[in-house]
Amino acid sequence: MAIENKPVSNDIIFQAIMGSFKKLNPLSMIKNPVMFVVEVGTFITLILSIKPDIFGVSAVGRGYNIAVFLVLLFTVLFANFAEAIAEGRGKAQADTLRKTKSETMAKMRQKDGSYKEVPSTSLRKGDIVRVDTGEIIPSDGEIIEGLASIDESAITGESAPVIKEAGGDFSSVTGGTRVVSDYIIVKIQTDPGESFIDRMISLVEGAARQKTPNEIALTTLLAVLTLVFLVVIMTLVPIAGYLKVTLDVATLIALLVCLIPTTIGGLLSAIGIAGMNRVTQFNVLAMSGKAVEAAGDIDTMILDKTGTITFGNRMASEFIPVTNVLEKEVTLASLKASVKDETPEGRSVVELARKLEVNWDEKEYDGAEIIEFTAETRMSGLNLKDGTEIRKGAVDAIKKYVTAKGGSIPADLEEKANAVAKAGGTPLAVAINDKVYGIIYLKDTVKPGLKERFDELRAMGIKTVMCTGDNPLTAATIAKEAGVDEFIAEAKPEDKIEAIKKEQAEGKLVAMTGDGTNDAPALAQADVGLAMNSGTMAAKEAANMIDLDSDPTKLLSVIAIGKQLLITRGALTTFSISNDIAKYFAIIPALFITAIPQLQFLNVMGLASPKSAILSALIFNAIIIPLLIPVAMKGAKYKAMDANRLLSRNLLIYGLGGVVVPFIGIKIIDMIVSALHLV
């Protein structure tokens, strides 16, 4: 189930418009103190539009009150629309997820050992079911017996099936996936409504979204600022009375709405929901928004080597000839020994030979006897119909094989094999009949593009640490090739926990990936633990994020999303507070310019009239919210760089931009308002 980041559909927009009106319920609005104050002001100006003199003699007409009411109403609706459209995107993703859920029948084991078909919704944690070829796995669970090929395309979008078996690190299965070969006995690990898909649906819909600590802190700050400006507005009334300036209630409300941080107040919830949606689009199930936010603050990443930094399979990287043998000859001999070898190592030998433009005509090995690798012989190869015997395998096994045939062992074979072993690789010797041609250098290959990704993390100030059970020499070789900052060789499970605790003791936030039961303690200890969906249930229960694609490098993308979430929130907060400066220059002179003509020098925008200035600032305040919805939804543009450069960049764009844009916007709106004689 690969969720794409599709454009917002017309249906989502329509539902968001309807949701904007539904969210006008005060019980819903009071959760957002800033916008609740705007809604109260909207209600008061509605009353003034009907009865202008309800609070005493009014110096403004009904038309002005109606204009203020309409602008305030749209301000609230635009803020609700931002949240509703973010929720609409989440619900669209939830609908995609629901397609993976279906009412299936399950064969549940009875007390007498027989199996009875029951609806999947009746299964409970601890029940045992049998799933045969072609059947859908009814719920999340752990394989306790059997081995099968599982089609997980409904969850991951990948068509290639994966092998799952009992007792290993790949024993966990997800409800909604299909068994394509053999059978498995599964112990159900979740009750109805508690599966990973159910939890993801709740999260992306926003039903289970809790505010993160940073979001709560920012909401509190906005509430305090709103209260401060409310007190400021109240003190303006006696000051205006002293100066014999009449301030109408509608004008005071307009001033309050312009001064409080309505922009970020209206977009804050949408930013949080959209951040969760972006994580979901990467097929990552975040257990909470706090986990996503923590990813943005990560200082250290601890990664397994095998399967994370490297492919996990040894792959051919070089063909090394012995004395009196050409490189092309050993390459061809290696190709001949591997053309019928279907293991990952064998396929890599064939691929490397073809990259070096060495090929072998299929007709020459047509009908050949395939010699499979066994633990006893430690060799594999072909016996051709003409009697030619081709072998590859462990160096000592090939030496015995060639010696038995009366051949001689090249003097430099052992030396070249030891050089490969010391470099952290695996040497395989290649022979045809009684002649040794050279060495195949197998090594656990670093995934392409990882070095560049680690460079990006380093630019963000994030340290990378590789954990591996390999010896220090091999670990150092892989670490240098991958570009990680540090490595821990011959690492045991408890060493990972100690490494995490050491970093945390220095005040750092730590992230790690894992898939095995022995990774569970470290995943639980880490601030951000990303478990593989293909891993054990213990690992998934311990982690606070689950990657449905089982791609250990996904953590790099999750960190980028977390940082983008924090940056977006900070950028829009900066913009919101910065654009208040222009409103001061628009409204303050307009309020007192008749009593204090000297304030005219503050009217730097040359606004037409006091009423026009107030209304223009109010209109700008309303329309800036929908204009910033795309930024809230997609996130502020993020580039990997250190915190100081990132802060300077965002202050320049959103700080300076937040000052300049309102001056231009308010002036343009004032010109339109004046030309249309709206006030």
Side-chain angles (χ1 to χ4, degrees):
M1 185 284 312
I3 301 176
E4 298 177 8
N5 190 7
K6 297 179 180 179
V8 178
S9 66
N10 292 334
D11 184 58
I12 292 177
I13 293 174
F14 176 76
Q15 293 297 328
I17 292 172
M18 299 300 294
S20 301
F21 287 93
K22 292 178 182 177
K23 289 177 179 291
L24 290 175
N25 183 344
L27 294 177
S28 175
M29 293 295 298
I30 201 168
K31 297 175 185 177
N32 187 335
V34 177
M35 299 317 299
F36 179 70
V37 169
V38 180
E39 185 176 46
V40 171
T42 305
F43 178 72
I44 294 173
T45 53
L46 174 61
I47 296 173
L48 289 171
S49 299
I50 300 169
K51 192 173 178 58
D53 58 351
I54 190 171
F55 297 115
V57 179
S58 175
V60 297
R62 181 177 276 110
Y64 176 78
N65 289 332
I66 291 174
V68 172
F69 161 71
L70 290 174
V71 176
L72 291 180
L73 176 62
F74 279 105
T75 302
V76 178
L77 290 175
F78 286 151
N80 289 346
F81 179 76
E83 183 175 358
I85 203 165
E87 290 176 347
R89 288 282 293 273
K91 288 175 181 176
Q93 293 178 358
D95 290 340
T96 303
L97 286 163
R98 282 195 180 93
K99 292 178 182 177
T100 67
K101 290 175 62 65
S102 59
E103 179 64 31
T104 59
M105 298 301 290
K107 289 181 285 191
M108 186 173 76
R109 182 187 290 177
Q110 306 299 299
K111 290 182 179 179
D112 61 0
S114 63
Y115 288 90
K116 177 184 177 182
E117 283 204 349
V118 299
S120 60
T121 51
S122 67
L123 294 174
R124 295 294 183 273
K125 188 173 183 178
D127 289 342
I128 295 175
V129 298
R130 177 183 173 116
V131 190
D132 291 297
T133 302
E135 294 179 349
I136 293 175
I137 296 171
S139 185
D140 296 352
E142 195 103 33
I143 300 174
I144 59 174
E145 182 184 326
L147 176 150
S149 182
I150 311 291
D151 176 10
E152 295 187 328
S153 58
I155 303 298
T156 66
E158 295 293 333
S159 57
V162 295
I163 303 297
K164 297 290 185 75
E165 61 182 325
D169 285 346
F170 301 97
S171 59
S172 173
V173 290
T174 305
T177 57
R178 184 184 298 273
V179 175
V180 295
S181 71
D182 302 296
Y183 79 95
I184 49 175
I185 305 297
V186 178
K187 185 175 183 179
I188 302 301
Q189 299 288 343
T190 59
D191 290 325
E194 296 179 358
S195 70
F196 292 117
I197 298 299
D198 289 318
R199 287 152 75 182
M200 181 176 275
I201 288 171
S202 295
L203 284 164
V204 298
E205 282 187 323
R209 193 186 83 88
Q210 296 180 337
K211 289 186 176 181
T212 63
N214 282 351
E215 191 174 350
I216 292 171
L218 184 54
T219 301
T220 304
L221 173 62
L222 298 180
V224 171
L225 286 175
T226 301
L227 182 61
V228 168
F229 281 118
L230 183 60
V231 173
V232 170
I233 297 302
M234 291 173 64
T235 59
L236 282 179
V237 176
I239 293 173
Y242 176 78
L243 296 173
K244 295 183 172 51
V245 175
T246 302
L247 294 180
D248 286 278
V249 175
T251 298
L252 290 171
I253 292 172
L255 177 60
L256 175 63
V257 170
C258 285
L259 296 184
I260 63 177
T262 49
T263 305
I264 186 61
L267 295 172
L268 186 57
S269 182
I271 294 169
I273 295 171
M276 291 291 291
N277 291 348
R278 283 196 294 277
V279 172
T280 308
Q281 287 159 10
F282 276 81
N283 261 8
V284 173
L285 169 58
M287 301 305 180
S288 68
K290 184 178 179 180
V292 181
E293 196 170 84
D297 284 328
I298 287 300
D299 300 295
T300 304
M301 268 184 67
I302 296 180
L303 307 103
D304 279 329
K305 184 206 78 172
T306 306
T308 302
I309 292 175
T310 65
F311 283 104
N313 295 319
R314 297 172 305 168
M315 301 179 74
S317 64
E318 187 181 355
F319 301 113
I320 304 172
V322 292
T323 304
N324 299 323
V325 175
L326 299 176
E327 184 176 343
K328 188 170 183 178
E329 290 177 317
V330 69
T331 302
L332 180 58
S334 301
L335 174 63
K336 290 179 177 181
S338 305
V339 286
K340 291 295 185 177
D341 184 353
E342 296 301 325
T343 65
E345 292 89 344
R347 294 297 88 209
S348 72
V349 171
V350 174
E351 289 175 14
L352 180 59
R354 287 175 178 166
K355 282 182 183 177
L356 296 173
E357 299 182 349
V358 174
N359 294 286
W360 190 31
D361 192 343
E362 291 184 17
K363 293 178 181 178
E364 295 189 41
Y365 57 88
D366 186 39
E369 179 188 0
I370 301 172
I371 307 301
E372 301 284 355
F373 177 88
T374 66
E376 184 180 353
T377 64
R378 294 189 296 150
M379 293 186 299
S380 64
L382 295 176
N383 288 339
L384 303 184
K385 287 192 292 187
D386 64 3
T388 302
E389 296 183 1
I390 307 166
R391 296 290 186 272
K392 74 166 188 236
V395 174
D396 59 338
I398 294 295
K399 285 167 67 176
K400 288 180 182 178
Y401 174 81
V402 170
T403 302
K405 284 189 167 290
S408 60
I409 306 301
D412 59 343
L413 177 65
E414 198 71 32
E415 178 188 345
K416 292 181 183 295
N418 289 337
V420 170
K422 287 180 180 178
T426 301
L428 293 182
V430 183
I432 298 179
N433 294 325
D434 61 353
K435 180 180 179 180
V436 177
Y437 280 75
I439 295 289
I440 301 173
Y441 180 179
L442 294 180
K443 70 174 183 178
D444 197 355
T445 308
V446 173
K447 293 181 178 180
L450 265 190
K451 189 175 180 68
E452 290 74 20
R453 298 294 296 275
F454 289 144
D455 287 341
E456 289 181 20
L457 290 173
R458 198 171 295 108
M460 300 177 203
I462 297 173
K463 181 173 72 174
T464 51
V465 180
M466 181 186 78
C467 278
T468 176
D470 289 334
N471 61 68
L473 182 61
T474 302
T477 302
I478 297 293
K480 183 178 180 181
E481 187 176 345
V484 295
D485 298 309
E486 297 178 9
F487 66 89
I488 302 172
E490 299 175 342
K492 299 181 289 294
E494 52 267 30
D495 293 330
K496 295 179 184 178
I497 299 177
E498 287 304 315
I500 293 170
K501 288 181 177 179
K502 180 184 175 183
E503 295 292 325
Q504 290 174 332
E506 297 174 4
K508 298 176 181 177
L509 294 183
V510 183
M512 80 157 288
T513 63
D515 55 15
T517 300
N518 61 354
D519 290 326
L523 288 168
Q525 180 67 38
D527 299 284
V528 176
L530 181 68
M532 303 299 102
N533 191 47
S534 61
T536 61
M537 191 63 68
K540 291 193 281 189
E541 291 292 343
N544 51 22
M545 287 188 182
I546 298 169
D547 175 23
L548 297 179
D549 294 331
S550 299
D551 175 6
T553 62
K554 189 75 68 69
L555 186 55
L556 304 175
S557 300
V558 171
I559 287 176
I561 292 170
K563 285 190 174 294
Q564 187 182 40
L565 171 64
L566 295 175
I567 289 166
T568 301
R569 188 183 296 148
L572 293 183
T573 301
T574 302
F575 184 89
S576 178
I577 294 173
S578 297
N579 68 30
D580 285 342
I581 295 174
K583 298 170 194 172
Y584 300 151
F585 281 94
I587 296 179
I588 299 300
L591 290 176
F592 298 105
I593 201 166
T594 54
I596 311 175
Q598 291 85 350
L599 289 177
Q600 180 62 40
F601 81 95
L602 291 178
N603 186 17
V604 294
M605 288 179 277
L607 303 179
S609 68
K611 289 182 181 178
S612 171
I614 293 169
L615 196 60
S616 298
L618 200 60
I619 292 172
F620 175 84
N621 195 65
I623 65 174
I624 198 64
I625 294 175
L627 291 177
L628 289 174
I629 288 177
V631 179
M633 295 292 293
K634 294 181 181 179
K637 188 175 181 181
Y638 171 68
K639 292 180 68 176
M641 59 181 70
D642 65 65
N644 291 331
R645 287 181 59 201
L646 200 57
L647 177 62
S648 301
R649 176 178 174 272
N650 285 334
L651 283 176
L652 179 64
I653 295 173
Y654 293 96
L656 183 60
V659 173
V660 173
V661 170
F663 275 94
I664 299 171
I666 291 172
K667 177 60 179 177
I668 292 173
I669 295 170
D670 178 73
M671 293 168 64
I672 296 172
V673 168
S674 302
L676 297 176
H677 302 290
L678 295 179
V679 290

